[in-house]
Amino acid sequence: VFDTLDVSETTRREYAVRIRHFLRFTDTHGLNRNSYLEYKRYLQSCEMFSVSTKNKYLISAKVFLDGLYRVRLIPQKITDGVKGFRLHKKDGLTDEDIGKLQLYCSALEPTRANLRLRAIIALFLFQGLRQIEVVKLNVEDISFRDKVALIRGKGRDDKEPVYLHPSTVKVLREYLRLYRCREGALFRSDSNHCRGGRLTTKSVREIIKRTFHTLQIDGSAHGFRDYFITKLIKSYKGELLTVSKYSRHRSIQMLEVYNDEVIRQEDLPR
């Protein structure tokens, strides 16, 4: 079933792993017209899973069951009308936090480590990139002539162009002028045990964590993306399809969570 889907190989493997949980459920409870709803209720009772994890299992089951129906291995589509689990948006960064970061970064000496930090923050703040997208970037993915970065998005095999903000272009130029590397990983480790190797998402989180600790900012690296998306939703007044072009979400389900939070914050004074 998953081999017939037009998705990346990584996504296909993730579906194949997660569907085992649903198959074990059907081994015990059988497969009938209410199985998808019953599976959702079963997941709801699994306290060891986060809401995000429950949704991933539920989506895998939906894709699988819809695929079975598509190839006529089951007589009817049984996933209609069953909603996913409600996600709650974590708090992102504030305007005050961003102001602190901008002042801090502008005062840094132009060393390699400092320019690397500024470049990473620019990609988070002005481009809304995910952590995995930042660490996967190569030098050759950056085109200063076109002011574009080629990004391998979440669950995608091919790269897509993301147009760079002038501030991002400026700091990347400064970083690469000092870095003097023409190919390979854009961001590399300077630690003794893996010097020169590609930074990992864990390493990036630690770099941001140290910076936040210095500035007494209560947040995480993912807070940049929260901030980016919230700003987009406010700028485009809740036009989620437009926002999804820049946030590169395949589904607007997560954007609806951000939009609900923006509306709630605006309603609180009233």
Side-chain angles (χ1 to χ4, degrees):
V1 170
F2 296 139
D3 285 344
T4 66
L5 299 175
D6 184 21
V7 296
S8 71
E9 185 58 35
T10 301
T11 300
R12 195 174 289 114
R13 284 198 300 267
E14 288 174 354
Y15 284 153
V17 169
R18 292 188 187 117
I19 199 60
R20 296 171 190 167
H21 190 265
F22 176 69
L23 295 178
R24 286 196 294 271
F25 173 82
T26 57
D27 280 345
T28 304
H29 299 87
L31 182 63
N32 57 66
R33 64 194 306 171
N34 293 317
S35 287
Y36 187 60
L37 178 59
E38 291 168 358
Y39 182 57
K40 180 191 174 181
R41 290 169 177 168
Y42 170 72
L43 285 172
Q44 204 159 19
S45 67
C46 295
E47 296 182 358
M48 74 286 291
F49 293 152
S50 67
V51 174
S52 177
T53 299
K54 290 176 183 179
N55 266 328
K56 288 174 182 176
Y57 279 121
L58 195 63
I59 289 169
S60 297
K62 175 178 170 55
V63 170
F64 179 67
L65 289 168
D66 288 351
L68 291 181
Y69 172 70
R70 189 174 63 250
V71 297
R72 299 293 185 263
L73 289 176
I74 57 176
Q76 64 185 118
K77 192 175 182 182
I78 65 174
T79 59
D80 288 345
V82 180
K83 298 178 181 179
F85 292 98
R86 187 67 174 169
L87 293 167
H88 298 283
K89 187 180 79 65
K90 295 179 180 178
D91 291 336
L93 300 174
T94 66
D95 288 335
E96 182 182 356
D97 296 331
I98 298 302
K100 284 183 183 179
L101 278 164
Q102 289 176 321
L103 285 173
Y104 176 76
C105 288
S106 64
L108 289 173
E109 292 293 324
T111 64
R112 180 164 161 169
N114 287 343
L115 287 174
R116 183 185 67 181
L117 171 65
R118 289 178 59 192
I120 289 172
I121 289 176
L123 290 167
F124 282 150
L125 180 58
F126 296 114
Q127 312 305 148
L129 296 193
R130 301 175 176 92
Q131 295 165 56
I132 189 64
E133 293 168 344
V134 169
V135 300
K136 283 185 175 180
L137 270 174
N138 291 325
V139 176
E140 54 268 35
D141 291 330
I142 308 297
S143 171
F144 291 120
R145 184 188 66 183
D146 299 324
K147 296 181 175 59
V148 160
L150 296 177
I151 305 297
R152 191 181 301 280
K154 185 178 180 181
R156 298 178 186 268
D157 287 325
D158 54 340
K159 295 182 179 180
E160 55 186 321
V162 170
Y163 293 92
L164 298 175
H165 188 282
S167 297
T168 309
V169 172
K170 180 181 178 182
V171 72
L172 283 174
R173 281 188 188 277
E174 293 173 358
Y175 170 67
L176 286 174
R177 191 179 297 124
L178 186 63
Y179 185 44
R180 293 181 181 177
C181 191
R182 296 183 180 273
E183 61 182 17
L186 179 62
F187 298 116
R188 304 190 184 196
S189 173
D190 54 10
S191 64
N192 292 328
H193 67 282
C194 56
R195 186 177 298 275
R198 185 184 296 271
L199 276 186
T200 63
T201 52
K202 182 180 178 181
S203 300
V204 168
R205 286 195 293 271
E206 284 299 314
I207 290 169
I208 297 300
K209 183 179 177 181
R210 288 196 298 269
T211 304
F212 282 4
H213 179 74
T214 299
L215 298 175
Q216 296 183 317
I217 292 174
D218 181 18
S220 65
H222 186 73
F224 285 108
R225 186 161 169 82
D226 290 340
Y227 182 84
F228 177 82
I229 293 170
T230 300
K231 285 292 185 183
L232 282 177
I233 287 174
K234 289 180 178 178
S235 296
Y236 288 100
K237 302 187 186 307
E239 296 176 15
L240 301 187
L241 287 176
T242 302
V243 172
S244 68
K245 288 197 307 182
Y246 299 105
S247 67
R248 292 169 297 108
H249 280 93
R250 288 186 177 183
S251 166
I252 66 171
Q253 181 187 14
M254 189 62 206
L255 291 179
E256 287 172 347
V257 177
Y258 283 92
N259 193 41
D260 288 347
E261 179 65 15
V262 169
I263 292 170
R264 188 179 70 84
Q265 290 294 335
E266 291 174 349
D267 280 346
L268 280 175
R270 291 196 290 272

Short mmCIF file of all heavy atoms in Angstrom, two decimals, residues 93 97-106 108 113-131 134 137 165 167-169 171-172 175 186-187 199 204-205 207-212 215 217 220-221 223-225 227-228:
data_model
loop_
_atom_site.label_atom_id
_atom_site.label_comp_id
_atom_site.label_asym_id
_atom_site.label_seq_id
_atom_site.Cartn_x
_atom_site.Cartn_y
_atom_site.Cartn_z
N LEU A 93 8.94 32.46 20.94
CA LEU A 93 9.70 33.61 21.42
C LEU A 93 8.84 34.87 21.32
O LEU A 93 7.91 34.94 20.53
CB LEU A 93 10.98 33.77 20.61
CG LEU A 93 11.94 32.58 20.66
CD1 LEU A 93 13.11 32.78 19.70
CD2 LEU A 93 12.45 32.34 22.07
N ASP A 97 12.25 39.03 23.34
CA ASP A 97 13.34 38.05 23.17
C ASP A 97 14.12 38.32 21.89
O ASP A 97 15.36 38.29 21.89
CB ASP A 97 12.77 36.63 23.11
CG ASP A 97 12.09 36.20 24.40
OD1 ASP A 97 12.48 36.70 25.47
OD2 ASP A 97 11.17 35.36 24.33
N ILE A 98 13.40 38.57 20.81
CA ILE A 98 14.05 38.82 19.52
C ILE A 98 14.88 40.10 19.58
O ILE A 98 15.98 40.18 19.03
CB ILE A 98 13.00 38.90 18.40
CG1 ILE A 98 12.25 37.56 18.28
CG2 ILE A 98 13.65 39.26 17.07
CD1 ILE A 98 13.14 36.36 18.01
N GLY A 99 14.35 41.11 20.28
CA GLY A 99 15.11 42.37 20.44
C GLY A 99 16.42 42.13 21.16
O GLY A 99 17.47 42.67 20.77
N LYS A 100 16.39 41.32 22.22
CA LYS A 100 17.62 40.98 22.96
C LYS A 100 18.62 40.29 22.04
O LYS A 100 19.82 40.59 22.06
CB LYS A 100 17.29 40.04 24.13
CG LYS A 100 16.64 40.68 25.34
CD LYS A 100 16.46 39.61 26.41
CE LYS A 100 15.75 40.13 27.63
NZ LYS A 100 15.56 39.07 28.65
N LEU A 101 18.13 39.33 21.25
CA LEU A 101 19.00 38.58 20.35
C LEU A 101 19.64 39.48 19.30
O LEU A 101 20.83 39.34 18.99
CB LEU A 101 18.21 37.46 19.66
CG LEU A 101 18.02 36.17 20.45
CD1 LEU A 101 16.92 35.33 19.83
CD2 LEU A 101 19.32 35.38 20.51
N GLN A 102 18.85 40.39 18.75
CA GLN A 102 19.38 41.28 17.72
C GLN A 102 20.49 42.17 18.26
O GLN A 102 21.52 42.38 17.62
CB GLN A 102 18.25 42.10 17.11
CG GLN A 102 17.31 41.27 16.23
CD GLN A 102 16.14 42.07 15.70
OE1 GLN A 102 15.57 42.90 16.42
NE2 GLN A 102 15.75 41.81 14.47
N LEU A 103 20.26 42.72 19.45
CA LEU A 103 21.29 43.56 20.08
C LEU A 103 22.55 42.75 20.39
O LEU A 103 23.67 43.20 20.17
CB LEU A 103 20.73 44.19 21.37
CG LEU A 103 19.74 45.34 21.21
CD1 LEU A 103 19.16 45.74 22.55
CD2 LEU A 103 20.44 46.54 20.55
N TYR A 104 22.34 41.55 20.91
CA TYR A 104 23.46 40.67 21.26
C TYR A 104 24.28 40.31 20.02
O TYR A 104 25.52 40.43 20.02
CB TYR A 104 22.91 39.41 21.93
CG TYR A 104 23.95 38.37 22.27
CD1 TYR A 104 24.80 38.54 23.37
CD2 TYR A 104 24.06 37.21 21.51
CE1 TYR A 104 25.74 37.57 23.69
CE2 TYR A 104 25.01 36.24 21.83
CZ TYR A 104 25.85 36.43 22.91
OH TYR A 104 26.78 35.47 23.23
N CYS A 105 23.60 39.89 18.96
CA CYS A 105 24.31 39.46 17.74
C CYS A 105 25.04 40.62 17.06
O CYS A 105 26.13 40.44 16.51
CB CYS A 105 23.32 38.82 16.76
SG CYS A 105 22.74 37.20 17.27
N SER A 106 24.44 41.80 17.09
CA SER A 106 25.07 42.95 16.43
C SER A 106 26.35 43.39 17.15
O SER A 106 27.22 44.03 16.55
CB SER A 106 24.09 44.12 16.36
OG SER A 106 23.75 44.58 17.67
N LEU A 108 28.50 41.21 18.64
CA LEU A 108 29.48 40.12 18.66
C LEU A 108 30.69 40.41 17.77
O LEU A 108 30.55 40.99 16.69
CB LEU A 108 28.83 38.82 18.19
CG LEU A 108 27.81 38.16 19.12
CD1 LEU A 108 27.15 36.97 18.42
CD2 LEU A 108 28.48 37.71 20.43
N ALA A 113 32.99 31.34 15.07
CA ALA A 113 31.91 30.80 15.89
C ALA A 113 30.75 31.79 15.99
O ALA A 113 29.57 31.39 15.93
CB ALA A 113 32.42 30.45 17.28
N ASN A 114 31.06 33.08 16.15
CA ASN A 114 30.02 34.09 16.27
C ASN A 114 29.25 34.28 14.97
O ASN A 114 28.02 34.46 14.97
CB ASN A 114 30.60 35.42 16.73
CG ASN A 114 31.02 35.40 18.19
OD1 ASN A 114 30.59 34.52 18.94
ND2 ASN A 114 31.84 36.34 18.59
N LEU A 115 29.97 34.26 13.85
CA LEU A 115 29.30 34.39 12.56
C LEU A 115 28.45 33.16 12.26
O LEU A 115 27.38 33.28 11.65
CB LEU A 115 30.33 34.62 11.44
CG LEU A 115 30.98 36.00 11.42
CD1 LEU A 115 32.08 36.06 10.35
CD2 LEU A 115 29.94 37.09 11.14
N ARG A 116 28.92 32.01 12.70
CA ARG A 116 28.11 30.79 12.55
C ARG A 116 26.81 30.93 13.34
O ARG A 116 25.73 30.60 12.84
CB ARG A 116 28.90 29.56 13.02
CG ARG A 116 28.15 28.24 12.84
CD ARG A 116 28.92 27.07 13.42
NE ARG A 116 29.01 27.16 14.87
CZ ARG A 116 29.64 26.27 15.64
NH1 ARG A 116 30.25 25.23 15.09
NH2 ARG A 116 29.69 26.41 16.94
N LEU A 117 26.90 31.43 14.58
CA LEU A 117 25.72 31.64 15.41
C LEU A 117 24.75 32.60 14.73
O LEU A 117 23.54 32.35 14.65
CB LEU A 117 26.13 32.18 16.78
CG LEU A 117 24.97 32.64 17.69
CD1 LEU A 117 24.08 31.48 18.07
CD2 LEU A 117 25.52 33.35 18.93
N ARG A 118 25.27 33.72 14.23
CA ARG A 118 24.42 34.72 13.58
C ARG A 118 23.75 34.14 12.34
O ARG A 118 22.57 34.44 12.07
CB ARG A 118 25.25 35.95 13.21
CG ARG A 118 25.68 36.79 14.41
CD ARG A 118 26.55 37.96 13.99
NE ARG A 118 25.83 38.82 13.07
CZ ARG A 118 26.42 39.80 12.36
NH1 ARG A 118 27.73 40.00 12.48
NH2 ARG A 118 25.71 40.56 11.55
N ALA A 119 24.47 33.33 11.58
CA ALA A 119 23.91 32.73 10.36
C ALA A 119 22.79 31.75 10.70
O ALA A 119 21.73 31.74 10.04
CB ALA A 119 25.01 32.03 9.57
N ILE A 120 23.01 30.94 11.73
CA ILE A 120 21.98 29.98 12.15
C ILE A 120 20.73 30.71 12.62
O ILE A 120 19.60 30.36 12.24
CB ILE A 120 22.53 29.06 13.26
CG1 ILE A 120 23.58 28.10 12.69
CG2 ILE A 120 21.40 28.28 13.92
CD1 ILE A 120 24.32 27.29 13.73
N ILE A 121 20.91 31.76 13.43
CA ILE A 121 19.77 32.52 13.92
C ILE A 121 19.03 33.20 12.77
O ILE A 121 17.79 33.24 12.75
CB ILE A 121 20.23 33.56 14.97
CG1 ILE A 121 20.62 32.84 16.27
CG2 ILE A 121 19.14 34.59 15.25
CD1 ILE A 121 21.18 33.74 17.35
N ALA A 122 19.76 33.72 11.79
CA ALA A 122 19.11 34.36 10.63
C ALA A 122 18.24 33.37 9.86
O ALA A 122 17.13 33.70 9.44
CB ALA A 122 20.17 34.96 9.71
N LEU A 123 18.73 32.16 9.68
CA LEU A 123 17.96 31.14 8.96
C LEU A 123 16.72 30.73 9.75
O LEU A 123 15.67 30.44 9.16
CB LEU A 123 18.84 29.92 8.67
CG LEU A 123 19.92 30.14 7.62
CD1 LEU A 123 20.93 29.00 7.63
CD2 LEU A 123 19.30 30.27 6.22
N PHE A 124 16.82 30.71 11.05
CA PHE A 124 15.65 30.42 11.89
C PHE A 124 14.65 31.58 11.87
O PHE A 124 13.45 31.38 11.66
CB PHE A 124 16.07 30.19 13.35
CG PHE A 124 16.67 28.83 13.63
CD1 PHE A 124 17.61 28.66 14.63
CD2 PHE A 124 16.26 27.72 12.92
CE1 PHE A 124 18.14 27.41 14.91
CE2 PHE A 124 16.78 26.46 13.19
CZ PHE A 124 17.73 26.31 14.18
N LEU A 125 15.17 32.78 12.08
CA LEU A 125 14.31 33.94 12.32
C LEU A 125 13.68 34.49 11.05
O LEU A 125 12.49 34.78 11.00
CB LEU A 125 15.12 35.03 13.03
CG LEU A 125 14.38 36.32 13.37
CD1 LEU A 125 13.18 36.05 14.26
CD2 LEU A 125 15.34 37.30 14.07
N PHE A 126 14.48 34.64 10.00
CA PHE A 126 14.00 35.29 8.78
C PHE A 126 13.46 34.31 7.74
O PHE A 126 12.72 34.70 6.85
CB PHE A 126 15.10 36.14 8.16
CG PHE A 126 15.54 37.29 9.02
CD1 PHE A 126 16.82 37.33 9.54
CD2 PHE A 126 14.67 38.32 9.32
CE1 PHE A 126 17.23 38.39 10.34
CE2 PHE A 126 15.06 39.38 10.12
CZ PHE A 126 16.35 39.42 10.64
N GLN A 127 13.87 33.04 7.84
CA GLN A 127 13.43 32.06 6.84
C GLN A 127 12.47 31.01 7.42
O GLN A 127 11.83 30.29 6.69
CB GLN A 127 14.64 31.33 6.23
CG GLN A 127 15.76 32.22 5.78
CD GLN A 127 15.36 33.30 4.79
OE1 GLN A 127 15.91 34.36 4.78
NE2 GLN A 127 14.38 32.98 3.96
N GLY A 128 12.41 30.92 8.75
CA GLY A 128 11.51 29.96 9.39
C GLY A 128 11.91 28.52 9.17
O GLY A 128 11.08 27.62 9.18
N LEU A 129 13.22 28.26 8.98
CA LEU A 129 13.66 26.90 8.71
C LEU A 129 13.55 26.03 9.96
O LEU A 129 13.69 26.49 11.09
CB LEU A 129 15.11 26.88 8.21
CG LEU A 129 15.42 27.57 6.89
CD1 LEU A 129 16.81 27.17 6.40
CD2 LEU A 129 14.38 27.25 5.82
N ARG A 130 13.32 24.75 9.73
CA ARG A 130 13.36 23.76 10.80
C ARG A 130 14.82 23.45 11.11
O ARG A 130 15.72 23.65 10.29
CB ARG A 130 12.65 22.48 10.37
CG ARG A 130 11.17 22.68 10.01
CD ARG A 130 10.59 21.39 9.50
NE ARG A 130 9.15 21.50 9.22
CZ ARG A 130 8.63 21.84 8.04
NH1 ARG A 130 9.44 22.09 7.01
NH2 ARG A 130 7.32 21.91 7.87
N GLN A 131 15.05 22.90 12.31
CA GLN A 131 16.44 22.59 12.72
C GLN A 131 17.09 21.60 11.76
O GLN A 131 18.25 21.78 11.36
CB GLN A 131 16.43 22.03 14.14
CG GLN A 131 15.97 23.02 15.18
CD GLN A 131 15.62 22.38 16.51
OE1 GLN A 131 16.45 21.69 17.09
NE2 GLN A 131 14.41 22.60 16.99
N VAL A 134 18.26 23.24 8.58
CA VAL A 134 19.48 24.04 8.75
C VAL A 134 20.72 23.16 8.73
O VAL A 134 21.69 23.45 8.04
CB VAL A 134 19.41 24.86 10.06
CG1 VAL A 134 20.78 25.46 10.39
CG2 VAL A 134 18.36 25.95 9.95
N LEU A 137 21.87 21.79 5.28
CA LEU A 137 22.30 22.73 4.25
C LEU A 137 23.76 22.53 3.89
O LEU A 137 24.62 22.36 4.76
CB LEU A 137 22.10 24.17 4.73
CG LEU A 137 20.77 24.84 4.43
CD1 LEU A 137 20.71 26.20 5.12
CD2 LEU A 137 20.56 25.00 2.94
N HIS A 165 15.98 36.48 2.86
CA HIS A 165 15.82 37.85 3.36
C HIS A 165 17.18 38.57 3.23
O HIS A 165 18.23 37.94 3.41
CB HIS A 165 15.38 37.76 4.83
CG HIS A 165 15.00 39.06 5.43
ND1 HIS A 165 15.92 39.98 5.86
CD2 HIS A 165 13.77 39.60 5.70
CE1 HIS A 165 15.29 41.03 6.37
NE2 HIS A 165 13.99 40.82 6.29
N SER A 167 18.80 40.38 5.24
CA SER A 167 19.62 40.20 6.45
C SER A 167 20.28 38.83 6.46
O SER A 167 21.43 38.69 6.92
CB SER A 167 18.75 40.36 7.71
OG SER A 167 18.23 41.66 7.80
N THR A 168 19.58 37.81 5.95
CA THR A 168 20.15 36.46 5.88
C THR A 168 21.29 36.44 4.87
O THR A 168 22.35 35.85 5.13
CB THR A 168 19.07 35.44 5.47
OG1 THR A 168 17.94 35.57 6.31
CG2 THR A 168 19.62 34.02 5.57
N VAL A 169 21.08 37.07 3.72
CA VAL A 169 22.12 37.13 2.69
C VAL A 169 23.38 37.78 3.24
O VAL A 169 24.50 37.28 3.06
CB VAL A 169 21.62 37.91 1.45
CG1 VAL A 169 22.76 38.14 0.46
CG2 VAL A 169 20.49 37.15 0.77
N VAL A 171 24.51 38.13 6.41
CA VAL A 171 25.25 37.38 7.42
C VAL A 171 25.86 36.11 6.83
O VAL A 171 26.97 35.69 7.22
CB VAL A 171 24.36 37.07 8.64
CG1 VAL A 171 23.32 36.03 8.32
CG2 VAL A 171 25.20 36.63 9.83
N LEU A 172 25.19 35.48 5.85
CA LEU A 172 25.77 34.30 5.20
C LEU A 172 27.01 34.67 4.39
O LEU A 172 27.98 33.91 4.34
CB LEU A 172 24.73 33.62 4.30
CG LEU A 172 23.65 32.78 5.01
CD1 LEU A 172 22.61 32.28 4.01
CD2 LEU A 172 24.27 31.58 5.75
N TYR A 175 29.78 35.08 6.89
CA TYR A 175 30.18 33.78 7.43
C TYR A 175 31.02 33.01 6.42
O TYR A 175 32.10 32.49 6.75
CB TYR A 175 28.94 32.99 7.82
CG TYR A 175 29.20 31.54 8.17
CD1 TYR A 175 29.94 31.20 9.30
CD2 TYR A 175 28.72 30.52 7.36
CE1 TYR A 175 30.19 29.87 9.62
CE2 TYR A 175 28.96 29.19 7.67
CZ TYR A 175 29.69 28.87 8.80
OH TYR A 175 29.94 27.55 9.11
N LEU A 186 27.36 23.27 5.38
CA LEU A 186 27.44 24.72 5.63
C LEU A 186 27.87 25.00 7.07
O LEU A 186 28.68 25.89 7.32
CB LEU A 186 26.08 25.36 5.35
CG LEU A 186 25.96 26.86 5.59
CD1 LEU A 186 26.92 27.63 4.67
CD2 LEU A 186 24.52 27.33 5.37
N PHE A 187 27.33 24.22 8.01
CA PHE A 187 27.67 24.42 9.42
C PHE A 187 28.38 23.19 9.97
O PHE A 187 27.82 22.08 9.93
CB PHE A 187 26.40 24.71 10.23
CG PHE A 187 25.70 25.96 9.78
CD1 PHE A 187 24.43 25.90 9.24
CD2 PHE A 187 26.32 27.20 9.90
CE1 PHE A 187 23.78 27.05 8.82
CE2 PHE A 187 25.68 28.36 9.49
CZ PHE A 187 24.41 28.28 8.94
N LEU A 199 27.34 19.76 11.76
CA LEU A 199 26.61 19.96 13.00
C LEU A 199 25.35 19.09 13.01
O LEU A 199 24.72 18.89 11.98
CB LEU A 199 26.19 21.42 13.15
CG LEU A 199 27.18 22.44 13.73
CD1 LEU A 199 26.48 23.77 13.91
CD2 LEU A 199 27.77 21.98 15.05
N VAL A 204 23.04 22.09 17.41
CA VAL A 204 22.40 23.39 17.17
C VAL A 204 21.57 23.79 18.38
O VAL A 204 21.59 24.95 18.81
CB VAL A 204 21.54 23.34 15.89
CG1 VAL A 204 20.65 24.58 15.78
CG2 VAL A 204 22.42 23.22 14.66
N ARG A 205 20.81 22.84 18.93
CA ARG A 205 20.00 23.15 20.11
C ARG A 205 20.87 23.60 21.27
O ARG A 205 20.50 24.51 22.03
CB ARG A 205 19.15 21.94 20.51
CG ARG A 205 17.97 21.68 19.60
CD ARG A 205 16.97 20.71 20.22
NE ARG A 205 17.53 19.37 20.36
CZ ARG A 205 17.46 18.42 19.43
NH1 ARG A 205 16.87 18.68 18.27
NH2 ARG A 205 17.95 17.22 19.65
N ILE A 207 23.86 25.08 21.06
CA ILE A 207 24.38 26.41 20.74
C ILE A 207 23.34 27.48 21.08
O ILE A 207 23.64 28.50 21.71
CB ILE A 207 24.77 26.50 19.25
CG1 ILE A 207 26.01 25.64 18.99
CG2 ILE A 207 25.02 27.94 18.83
CD1 ILE A 207 26.32 25.44 17.51
N ILE A 208 22.09 27.23 20.67
CA ILE A 208 21.01 28.19 20.95
C ILE A 208 20.72 28.24 22.44
O ILE A 208 20.49 29.32 23.01
CB ILE A 208 19.75 27.82 20.16
CG1 ILE A 208 19.99 27.88 18.65
CG2 ILE A 208 18.58 28.73 20.55
CD1 ILE A 208 20.41 29.24 18.15
N LYS A 209 20.75 27.08 23.09
CA LYS A 209 20.48 27.02 24.54
C LYS A 209 21.48 27.87 25.32
O LYS A 209 21.09 28.60 26.24
CB LYS A 209 20.54 25.56 25.00
CG LYS A 209 20.20 25.35 26.47
CD LYS A 209 20.27 23.87 26.82
CE LYS A 209 20.00 23.63 28.30
NZ LYS A 209 20.08 22.18 28.64
N ARG A 210 22.76 27.78 24.94
CA ARG A 210 23.79 28.57 25.63
C ARG A 210 23.54 30.07 25.43
O ARG A 210 23.71 30.87 26.36
CB ARG A 210 25.19 28.18 25.13
CG ARG A 210 25.65 26.82 25.60
CD ARG A 210 27.15 26.67 25.42
NE ARG A 210 27.55 26.76 24.02
CZ ARG A 210 27.64 25.70 23.21
NH1 ARG A 210 27.36 24.48 23.66
NH2 ARG A 210 28.02 25.85 21.96
N THR A 211 23.17 30.43 24.21
CA THR A 211 22.90 31.84 23.92
C THR A 211 21.70 32.34 24.71
O THR A 211 21.73 33.43 25.29
CB THR A 211 22.64 32.04 22.41
OG1 THR A 211 23.75 31.54 21.67
CG2 THR A 211 22.43 33.50 22.07
N PHE A 212 20.65 31.54 24.76
CA PHE A 212 19.45 31.92 25.51
C PHE A 212 19.77 32.04 27.01
O PHE A 212 19.24 32.92 27.68
CB PHE A 212 18.35 30.88 25.29
CG PHE A 212 17.62 31.02 23.98
CD1 PHE A 212 18.01 31.97 23.04
CD2 PHE A 212 16.54 30.20 23.67
CE1 PHE A 212 17.36 32.11 21.83
CE2 PHE A 212 15.87 30.33 22.47
CZ PHE A 212 16.28 31.28 21.55
N LEU A 215 21.38 35.31 27.70
CA LEU A 215 20.46 36.44 27.59
C LEU A 215 19.24 36.30 28.50
O LEU A 215 18.34 37.15 28.47
CB LEU A 215 19.99 36.59 26.14
CG LEU A 215 21.10 36.89 25.13
CD1 LEU A 215 20.55 36.89 23.72
CD2 LEU A 215 21.75 38.23 25.44
N ILE A 217 16.77 34.18 28.28
CA ILE A 217 15.58 33.97 27.46
C ILE A 217 15.02 32.59 27.75
O ILE A 217 15.76 31.60 27.70
CB ILE A 217 15.89 34.11 25.95
CG1 ILE A 217 16.26 35.56 25.63
CG2 ILE A 217 14.73 33.64 25.10
CD1 ILE A 217 16.71 35.76 24.19
N SER A 220 13.39 27.82 23.32
CA SER A 220 14.18 26.78 22.68
C SER A 220 14.39 27.15 21.22
O SER A 220 13.82 28.13 20.72
CB SER A 220 13.47 25.42 22.77
OG SER A 220 12.26 25.47 22.02
N ALA A 221 15.18 26.36 20.52
CA ALA A 221 15.45 26.63 19.11
C ALA A 221 14.16 26.60 18.29
O ALA A 221 14.01 27.37 17.33
CB ALA A 221 16.45 25.61 18.56
N GLY A 223 11.41 27.69 19.11
CA GLY A 223 10.68 28.93 19.34
C GLY A 223 10.81 29.92 18.20
O GLY A 223 9.91 30.74 17.97
N PHE A 224 11.92 29.84 17.44
CA PHE A 224 12.09 30.72 16.28
C PHE A 224 11.00 30.44 15.23
O PHE A 224 10.43 31.37 14.66
CB PHE A 224 13.46 30.51 15.64
CG PHE A 224 14.60 31.12 16.40
CD1 PHE A 224 15.49 30.31 17.10
CD2 PHE A 224 14.80 32.49 16.43
CE1 PHE A 224 16.55 30.86 17.79
CE2 PHE A 224 15.85 33.05 17.12
CZ PHE A 224 16.73 32.23 17.80
N ARG A 225 10.75 29.16 14.98
CA ARG A 225 9.76 28.81 13.96
C ARG A 225 8.35 29.20 14.43
O ARG A 225 7.54 29.68 13.63
CB ARG A 225 9.84 27.32 13.64
CG ARG A 225 8.93 26.90 12.49
CD ARG A 225 9.35 25.57 11.90
NE ARG A 225 8.34 25.04 10.99
CZ ARG A 225 8.21 25.40 9.72
NH1 ARG A 225 9.04 26.30 9.19
NH2 ARG A 225 7.28 24.87 8.96
N TYR A 227 7.68 31.73 16.32
CA TYR A 227 7.65 33.19 16.16
C TYR A 227 7.42 33.57 14.70
O TYR A 227 6.58 34.41 14.38
CB TYR A 227 8.97 33.77 16.68
CG TYR A 227 9.05 35.28 16.63
CD1 TYR A 227 8.52 36.06 17.65
CD2 TYR A 227 9.67 35.92 15.56
CE1 TYR A 227 8.61 37.45 17.62
CE2 TYR A 227 9.76 37.31 15.52
CZ TYR A 227 9.24 38.06 16.55
OH TYR A 227 9.32 39.44 16.51
N PHE A 228 8.15 32.90 13.81
CA PHE A 228 8.08 33.16 12.37
C PHE A 228 6.65 32.93 11.86
O PHE A 228 6.08 33.78 11.15
CB PHE A 228 9.07 32.24 11.66
CG PHE A 228 9.07 32.32 10.16
CD1 PHE A 228 9.77 33.33 9.50
CD2 PHE A 228 8.40 31.39 9.39
CE1 PHE A 228 9.78 33.41 8.12
CE2 PHE A 228 8.41 31.45 8.01
CZ PHE A 228 9.10 32.47 7.37
#
